[in-house]
Amino acid sequence: MAKYGEDFMKCPMFTAQSLIGGKWKVFLLWALHDGPKRFSEMQRLLPEVTQSMLTNTLRDLEKDGLIHREVYRQVPPKVEYSLTPIGDKLMPILQLLLGWGTEYMEDMGTLDLENSGLDPDRWAAINKGMAQLK
């Protein structure tokens, strides 16, 4: 987490935003919600992200305790990333954020479910969760 003034660090909302803010952090965390992934899998999910940006973002998430990096001592080397228990606690929040973003895009007329990458069953579950919040 970046260094900020002491007063800001006392604010839970600022702390949360500092931990998950950034262009790719939320997406990478969400990508791990269904289990561990290798670096190459993460690269395929985000082909527009450079290798160094992906590496740095994963390192930040690991340093902040949100993901775990497991190195398997084998040839060729194998590294997997997974959520830590505290990172896993973000998943219900990210699911709601996904639902809100989808609802927003629907309202704005910009939602294209066919090209969104959303699984229809997962979309139905998210939609149900959003309806319960209203």
Side-chain angles (χ1 to χ4, degrees):
M1 185 164 49
K3 300 281 183 192
Y4 295 98
E6 201 173 303
D7 289 341
F8 280 119
M9 296 308 293
K10 294 176 185 175
C11 175
M13 183 64 79
F14 181 81
T15 298
Q17 186 274 331
S18 296
L19 290 169
I20 64 171
K23 193 169 185 178
W24 305 111
K25 286 182 178 181
V26 168
F27 188 88
L28 290 170
L29 288 165
W30 181 251
L32 294 171
H33 83 281
D34 57 355
K37 298 227 178 353
R38 295 181 72 169
F39 186 86
S40 60
E41 292 176 274
M42 304 292 261
Q43 279 184 306
R44 282 192 294 275
L45 289 171
L46 291 166
E48 56 279 330
V49 179
T50 64
Q51 183 174 341
S52 63
M53 175 59 80
L54 181 57
T55 299
N56 290 336
T57 304
L58 289 168
R59 282 183 185 156
D60 286 346
L61 291 169
E62 181 185 14
K63 180 178 59 83
D64 290 335
L66 299 176
I67 66 171
H68 172 72
R69 181 177 184 262
E70 183 74 30
V71 179
Y72 295 90
R73 304 287 181 209
Q74 64 185 44
V75 176
K78 176 182 173 184
V79 176
E80 280 187 341
Y81 295 90
S82 60
L83 294 170
T84 61
I86 195 75
D88 194 49
K89 288 182 179 186
L90 278 169
M91 292 309 105
I93 297 162
L94 296 185
Q95 185 171 6
L96 289 172
L97 188 60
L98 174 63
W100 179 87
T102 304
E103 191 173 283
Y104 175 84
M105 291 175 74
E106 280 180 336
D107 290 349
M108 296 296 123
T110 59
L111 182 63
D112 178 5
L113 278 178
E114 287 183 27
N115 296 308
S116 70
L118 286 176
D119 171 44
D121 293 333
R122 186 167 290 148
W123 166 243
I126 291 167
N127 221 9
K128 181 180 178 187
M130 288 299 292
Q132 291 174 350
L133 289 175
K134 293 181 179 177

